Amino acid sequence: MSENLSIWEKMQSFDRRWLYLVLIVLVTFGLFVSPDIPAQPDESSVGLYVTLDGLDENDTILIQSDWTNSTRGETLGHLEALLRTVMAKRIKFVMYTFADPQAPQVSRDALRRLNDELPEDKRYKLGIDYLELGYFPNAEGATQSLGNNIRTFWEGRKTRVEGNGGDEMDIFRTPVLENIQKLEDCGMICVVTPSNTIDIAVERLSGKLPICCMCTGVVGPQILPYYNAGQVAGLAIGLKGVYDMEMMMAGGLNLDKADYPNSVRSDKYSENKALPVVSPIEGKSSADYSLGRGKKYYAALNIALALMVLAVIAGNIGMYAAKRRERNA
Amino acid sequence: MNLPLAAIWGQDPGSGALIGYLVGAFILGVVMMVAMTKMPTRGRKPSVWIATFASGFFYFLFWIWPSPINRGPSDLPVGFSEKVGFGLQDALPKVANIAIILTAFLLGLGIYSLLHVHLGRLFKKQKDWQFSLILVVSMVLMIIFGYWDWMQRQFNDPDLLLAKMDNWGFVNYSFDLLFDGLLQQMDAAMFSMIAFFILSAAYRAFRIKSIEATVLMASALIMILSIMGAVDMVYSNMIDSMTGGDPGHFLNDAKITAVASWVKNTMQVPALRALEFGVGLGALAMGLRLWLGLEKGGVS
Amino acid sequence: MQYLDTAWIGVAVTLVMVAFVLLNIVRARGKEGGLYIRRIPGLNALDDAIGRATEMGRPVLMIPGIGTLNAISVQALSIFAHVTKSAAQFSTPIKICCADAAVYTVAQEVIRDVYQTQGMGDRYNEDFVQFVSDRQFAFAAGVSGIIHREKVAAAFLLGEFYAESLIFAETCNSVGAIQVAGSTHNTQTPFFIAACDYVLIGDEFYAASAYLKREPVLVGSLVGQDWGKMLIAAMCLLGCFIFSIDMTSAPTTKRVTVGEENGTSLVEFQAVDDSDNMEDGSLRKKRSSDTALHHYFHPVVSPGAFQDRNRPQKEEEGS
């Protein structure tokens, strides 16, 4: 008789839309509170920060931004953390995509927002501090061509240069790429992706330059074998990856706790020390400059995961209660 | 070595010769397309195989031929082997472009299919014709405003003024509304629905019904808890208080992150590698069968 | 300039695997009764699912993933050709939704071909194969709509899937469709396992057509793949063995970075001396980077040593 069922058993057959409603309410609540949640960064995220820390001012790196707004909960945070670090260190970069025609627009928007935060004299200028090359279809063929010869792959490509009127300039004559003769001259490539374009990058570009990746939580496990084998130097996975990056940007890595109380510690990279990023905005501390979407969304992630754990536990108790009733009947 | 075809792809953008080549290539493409459509099946299959083999042979040669690395921009090849190596390296981006151009041709066919289905439904007032109307109107609007906005930015904005929203006009706001305000947000909404599906799928699937299901659930819980920083830190501090902060103490291996790392590195990664080997070999065999025209019926 | 002459082993192993596949195709062609391959449970469900759709008078939905035209989508279409053959015999309606224009074109050819070879060309309808959208979530939304409106009885999700996999699987689940799924992307397999009735895991996806058609070429190729897997397993074991033995001996050489040229580190090997000893004076343990296998797969890079100073150069172009 249904009135004799325990609450656990009733939960076995309740409408799943109630579960969805609870999720919406709790996650929305999580978005409005963003407490400082302590966390230990993944070693793969530390690898990414260490690789970025090894770059020098005026190095040129490649940023393959393959995401669109659908995965922005994770990948926008990735790109922002990456760009904030790069812009604070005055590293030049080339941004392009091999995955999606919508991707250039969303990464351009993200860059514009971050650039607008900076004081006038520290803003990144198109054609001088960075290049934005847009979309290249056929990821497999394009990556192979890039690895084959960067000069022939982008041969004849022109860019606008900020402050140069409407005139276009060959990209290899701009300060960003003038010293790049071959792919190996670039400091690193970072693929921000929710898809398999990182697999293609590993297959085609391994051994030529350090490869790093920032990917969604779902894709993460697929890339881990490459990280463990050393083919990918650093890997930030999902929202936790964003939060890991922000923590290291704000507090530094393996530093003396007396001087840097928020510094995080890593066992695998115990020999590497990295300072927090220096905020390019006057009056803003490293933490104020660095902590962004990762911190904002991390509470919501924790709440959603806690709900999932509770749902799994409740489901199992209900199943156990139903089985026990059957046995007793 | 300069391949003779370099004369075609080396033309300056906008030059008369390039436009001539483009028109010629377009006519040739259309003629070939019509010829292939009209060709009887008996003749079509060998032609398809020859094209497949030739395309595959380029990549095979590129893969197996000694490839110059550290090549300077003004290096010249010495001997036959290097000439071929240089030629293959120079030709690669152009050959990759052929695939892109073919895809662009095929996109036209995709749009034809879409319009064929939905315009047909619209004119015949079949069931759910309203959805088809929305689809066609959205498509037309996006094409018009997308192209218009692009033209403005590309040709009428030498000082990059449109990079700032203050300088936007009707066209730019309309495109932004369609692209960012509608398309992107609907994309994000579809993606976020996965969260609900994951929750209900987890609720259904993670039940202690058998040993395998229990192992699956236990590893899932370990992974989930390892991402939850607050839980991890409380538990780690508890372990630290038991070990007195000694990094060599064996209890450190009981921390959630340590257990999660062990599960990932010792269980998940090797299993994934093994699966990847299998998948890679499958793709290799499939590619080989297609390249050599060994597969009968079905696709080839 | 230098040549990458240390990578020959990768090429050699690949060629051996190619030889395995070709050799077994020849063996399978010559052997009466064919070579033995084991049963794949997920594939037994194909005909059951089509039968159910026929009984219910509802369509069979097939999705070859959202990838471009490659080995994966071609393999998916190959399985769909088999499904279509069975469906055509029972006049069960089918629907193939494509997210890539090239896949759509090939799918249309394949399905028309199946109907014609079955002598049922008149039953073929161009709308059986439909291009929905090449945008991932527009495609997901479009296909979900089709699943709901047409109340499909069976769904075959085979090919390259990403985040949309769970949307399809759960939507099919909500209309009570039987689902057979398989993806070569291992990250999506767990979602399919949680939500679908039958799942092809990893390379079972490639084995499917051999199991369904039993043609010597396909069966031989499958056996060749298994030989390849055995070769890989043997190499893993051999590498493990050599590495373990090597690690037990004392270190004799070390890798030292001696400088930099054109941004590339110059590395050379030096003999281990007393400076490498531990604090208590004992000889340090061998690191994995001291082993012969590590040396083999991480060759010393010194571009200057290979640079051909007498190489002819192009004449400088006026800038």
Side-chain angles (χ1 to χ4, degrees):
Chain A
M1 298 264 284
S2 65
E3 58 268 26
N4 293 332
L5 291 177
S6 68
I7 182 154
W8 301 109
E9 289 168 277
K10 283 179 189 161
M11 280 178 70
Q12 289 288 82
S13 55
F14 79 123
D15 192 334
R16 61 184 170 181
R17 279 173 295 188
W18 286 108
L19 203 59
Y20 297 166
L21 181 67
V22 174
L23 181 66
I24 289 177
V25 172
L26 289 181
V27 168
T28 311
F29 170 73
L31 289 175
F32 285 102
V33 291
S34 47
D36 282 321
I37 300 175
Q40 173 65 31
D42 290 336
E43 296 295 10
S44 60
S45 307
V46 179
L48 173 58
Y49 193 67
V50 166
T51 312
L52 278 170
D53 190 63
L55 297 171
D56 295 324
E57 190 175 330
N58 290 329
D59 269 352
T60 297
I61 66 167
L62 304 179
I63 298 178
Q64 187 175 318
S65 178
D66 288 339
W67 59 281
T68 61
N69 259 353
S70 52
T71 56
R72 70 179 163 197
E74 295 167 288
T75 39
L76 175 59
H78 286 143
L79 187 69
E80 284 186 351
L82 176 67
L83 287 178
R84 282 207 165 101
T85 313
V86 164
M87 290 162 108
K89 291 167 77 80
R90 300 303 301 176
I91 293 164
K92 297 185 188 327
F93 64 87
V94 182
M95 194 153 67
Y96 60 89
T97 179
F98 285 165
D100 197 296
Q102 288 178 23
Q105 185 66 40
V106 290
S107 40
R108 204 177 293 142
D109 288 347
L111 175 63
R112 194 191 61 211
R113 276 195 302 275
L114 294 185
N115 226 359
D116 287 347
E117 286 176 10
L118 298 179
E120 194 68 48
D121 59 324
K122 290 189 175 158
R123 285 200 181 145
Y124 263 53
K125 293 187 174 63
L126 179 67
I128 297 167
D129 299 308
Y130 77 98
L131 291 173
E132 214 273 290
L133 299 183
Y135 169 56
F136 297 84
N138 184 7
E140 194 86 44
T143 314
Q144 193 171 27
S145 301
L146 174 69
N148 176 36
N149 190 333
I150 188 172
R151 286 249 163 191
T152 51
F153 178 54
W154 282 331
E155 192 178 21
R157 197 158 281 269
K158 293 187 167 57
T159 181
R160 301 269 193 92
V161 178
E162 227 166 299
N164 197 18
D167 293 344
E168 290 192 325
M169 187 190 263
D170 188 297
I171 57 168
F172 286 103
R173 289 182 189 274
T174 63
V176 186
L177 282 178
E178 64 184 352
N179 295 322
I180 305 294
Q181 298 299 332
K182 52 187 190 296
L183 190 64
E184 287 85 339
D185 296 335
C186 297
M188 67 178 270
I189 177 173
C190 189
V191 184
V192 185
T193 183
S195 70
N196 74 331
T197 46
I198 176 63
D199 294 66
I200 299 170
V202 172
E203 285 160 17
R204 308 290 175 193
L205 309 179
S206 260
K208 292 179 191 286
L209 78 173
I211 300 173
C212 288
C213 175
M214 304 178 102
C215 64
T216 51
V218 173
V219 176
Q222 195 171 317
I223 323 296
L224 269 178
Y226 300 129
Y227 170 71
N228 282 5
Q231 288 159 295
V232 167
L235 169 67
I237 302 174
L239 200 48
K240 174 72 169 33
V242 183
Y243 192 51
D244 289 348
M245 281 296 290
E246 289 181 1
M247 277 193 299
M248 288 182 280
M249 287 160 65
L253 174 71
N254 292 329
L255 300 173
D256 192 346
K257 284 273 182 189
D259 299 328
Y260 297 94
N262 295 324
S263 165
V264 297
R265 191 177 295 162
S266 156
D267 292 334
K268 185 174 175 183
Y269 297 90
S270 56
E271 288 174 11
N272 296 84
K273 286 185 185 343
L275 290 170
V277 295
V278 180
S279 167
I281 306 168
E282 218 166 292
K284 261 196 174 181
S285 67
S286 294
D288 291 341
Y289 174 69
S290 309
L291 293 173
R293 283 174 204 277
K295 183 174 183 251
K296 198 172 161 192
Y297 296 164
Y298 195 54
L301 175 72
N302 272 266
I303 290 171
L305 290 173
L307 179 65
M308 190 181 279
V309 173
L310 290 177
V312 170
I313 293 171
N316 277 287
I317 294 177
M319 190 186 73
Y320 177 72
K323 270 190 182 170
R324 212 172 123 181
R325 179 183 291 275
E326 274 172 29
R327 222 178 295 144
N328 292 341
Chain B
M1 185 182 74
N2 271 338
L3 291 180
L5 282 173
I8 297 175
W9 60 60
Q11 298 297 330
D12 287 333
S15 67
L18 184 69
I19 292 170
Y21 279 126
L22 282 175
V23 172
F26 181 77
I27 295 170
L28 188 69
V30 172
V31 169
M32 279 174 69
M33 226 176 199
V34 173
M36 287 295 285
T37 318
K38 299 285 172 202
M39 197 182 278
T41 315
R42 199 177 287 173
R44 204 187 298 172
K45 283 196 172 171
S47 331
V48 169
W49 178 72
I50 289 169
T52 310
F53 184 79
S55 323
F57 190 69
F58 173 82
Y59 282 100
F60 173 73
L61 213 56
F62 181 81
W63 172 69
I64 206 159
W65 204 270
S67 173
I69 58 170
N70 255 346
R71 175 183 162 189
S74 47
D75 279 350
L76 287 173
V78 178
F80 174 74
S81 168
E82 283 194 5
K83 279 183 179 172
V84 177
F86 274 54
L88 287 170
Q89 209 175 36
D90 292 342
L92 182 74
K94 320 297 175 192
V95 174
N97 280 348
I98 294 174
I100 296 168
I101 294 163
L102 281 176
T103 312
F105 263 96
L106 292 168
L107 194 62
L109 282 178
I111 293 171
Y112 165 77
S113 156
L114 207 63
L115 291 177
H116 181 258
V117 170
H118 291 281
L119 287 180
R121 192 175 292 166
L122 203 59
F123 289 130
K124 290 175 196 160
K125 286 273 170 70
Q126 285 173 339
K127 193 173 164 243
D128 299 326
W129 62 270
Q130 299 91 337
F131 296 135
S132 300
L133 178 68
I134 294 172
L135 183 138
V136 174
V137 171
S138 314
M139 193 171 152
V140 171
L141 282 179
M142 195 56 126
I143 291 172
I144 291 174
F145 282 102
Y147 191 68
W148 198 348
D149 178 82
W150 178 80
M151 291 279 281
Q152 278 205 352
R153 286 171 193 269
Q154 197 67 21
F155 301 110
N156 298 328
D157 182 32
D159 300 322
L160 299 176
L161 294 174
L162 290 175
K164 282 192 183 271
M165 277 178 82
D166 304 342
N167 303 319
W168 283 6
F170 167 72
V171 179
N172 314 101
Y173 275 112
S174 304
F175 175 63
D176 190 59
L177 174 73
L178 289 172
F179 182 78
D180 199 40
L182 290 173
L183 179 68
Q184 296 288 320
Q185 308 310 322
M186 287 194 285
D187 252 11
M190 281 303 289
F191 186 71
S192 58
M193 277 171 63
I194 298 168
F196 303 113
F197 291 143
I198 286 178
L199 188 63
S200 65
Y203 183 67
R204 275 206 324 264
F206 291 145
R207 297 283 168 91
I208 310 177
K209 289 175 186 162
S210 60
I211 293 175
E212 291 93 333
T214 312
V215 171
L216 195 73
M217 192 193 78
S219 44
L221 285 181
I222 290 168
M223 285 299 151
I224 291 173
L225 293 175
S226 75
I227 307 173
M228 296 171 69
V231 177
D232 174 39
M233 284 314 251
V234 169
Y235 183 66
S236 295
N237 287 342
M238 203 176 80
I239 300 254
D240 283 341
S241 65
M242 288 160 76
T243 61
D246 174 14
H249 200 284
F250 78 97
L251 272 181
N252 285 315
D253 291 337
K255 287 182 179 174
I256 299 176
T257 40
V259 178
S261 297
W262 184 84
V263 171
K264 277 195 276 192
N265 296 332
T266 318
M267 297 287 168
Q268 185 192 34
V269 168
L272 278 175
R273 267 199 198 122
L275 279 172
E276 289 291 340
F277 280 137
V279 169
L281 276 168
L284 175 79
M286 181 82 200
L288 199 65
R289 291 200 304 266
L290 287 175
W291 183 44
L292 299 177
L294 295 172
E295 196 139 325
K296 279 182 192 152
V299 176
S300 58
Chain C
M1 195 190 79
Q2 69 182 78
Y3 285 102
L4 190 67
D5 54 1
T6 48
W8 66 271
I9 193 163
V11 177
V13 170
T14 313
L15 289 177
V16 168
M17 288 177 185
V18 167
F20 282 168
V21 172
L22 295 178
L23 176 73
N24 277 290
I25 289 175
V26 174
R27 274 183 69 216
R29 276 181 171 163
K31 194 168 178 178
E32 213 166 293
L35 300 171
Y36 170 76
I37 52 169
R38 74 171 172 85
R39 200 171 62 91
I40 300 171
L43 293 173
N44 289 345
L46 287 181
D47 290 329
D48 296 346
I50 299 164
R52 188 164 176 267
T54 312
E55 280 171 21
M56 298 170 87
R58 293 200 212 149
V60 173
L61 176 74
M62 292 172 257
I63 306 173
I66 61 165
T68 51
L69 186 64
N70 54 21
I72 303 167
S73 48
V74 166
Q75 173 63 18
L77 292 179
S78 184
I79 301 172
F80 291 165
H82 176 85
V83 174
T84 306
K85 202 166 139 187
S86 304
Q89 284 164 358
F90 300 115
S91 302
T92 312
I94 61 161
K95 193 100 198 162
I96 299 185
C97 295
C98 302
D100 182 86
V103 176
Y104 159 74
T105 317
V106 176
Q108 216 172 28
E109 283 285 314
V110 169
I111 301 305
R112 186 188 295 130
D113 201 36
V114 169
Y115 273 87
Q116 280 171 354
T117 48
Q118 293 293 303
M120 300 169 190
D122 54 319
R123 288 192 197 166
Y124 173 75
N125 183 339
E126 257 190 43
D127 292 348
F128 282 168
V129 184
Q130 192 181 333
F131 175 80
V132 178
S133 170
D134 66 348
R135 317 297 329 130
Q136 182 184 18
F137 289 105
F139 180 70
V143 174
S144 298
I146 290 172
I147 293 169
H148 273 299
R149 283 194 299 274
E150 311 221 352
K151 295 266 180 296
V152 298
F156 298 94
L157 314 172
L158 302 169
E160 263 183 287
F161 288 92
Y162 296 93
E164 71 290 346
S165 62
L166 198 60
I167 298 178
F168 295 153
E170 284 283 298
T171 314
C172 287
N173 189 302
S174 69
V175 297
I178 288 192
Q179 300 160 75
V180 180
S183 178
T184 50
H185 283 277
N186 295 317
T187 48
Q188 299 307 323
T189 307
F191 295 131
F192 280 146
I193 288 177
C196 295
D197 299 295
Y198 300 95
V199 181
L200 301 176
I201 297 172
D203 55 330
E204 282 183 348
F205 174 69
Y206 287 109
S209 50
Y211 177 77
L212 293 169
K213 295 183 187 168
R214 302 274 170 177
E215 282 173 13
V217 170
L218 302 176
V219 174
S221 145
L222 187 61
V223 176
Q225 288 172 48
D226 283 350
W227 283 25
K229 275 191 246 175
M230 282 190 271
L231 176 70
I232 291 172
M235 285 174 73
C236 288
L237 286 174
L238 186 69
C240 200
F241 182 71
I242 294 174
F243 183 79
S244 304
I245 298 281
D246 203 351
M247 284 293 277
T248 55
S249 60
T252 51
T253 56
K254 60 180 176 182
R255 261 171 98 96
V256 181
T257 305
V258 290
E260 201 182 91
E261 189 176 313
N262 295 336
T264 310
S265 298
L266 300 180
V267 181
E268 67 179 37
F269 290 107
Q270 292 176 1
V272 171
D273 52 32
D274 290 348
S275 64
D276 296 300
N277 288 353
M278 309 281 281
E279 278 176 11
D280 61 0
S282 61
L283 197 60
R284 72 166 170 83
K285 282 184 179 169
K286 210 166 191 176
R287 300 188 193 105
S288 61
S289 59
D290 296 328
T291 58
L293 276 181
H294 189 276
H295 292 176
Y296 185 77
F297 286 108
H298 299 83
V300 173
V301 182
S302 51
F306 294 93
Q307 200 72 43
D308 184 356
R309 307 279 177 204
N310 300 319
R311 169 166 300 283
Q313 302 278 311
K314 277 183 206 163
E315 282 179 26
E316 279 294 315
E317 289 169 21
S319 55

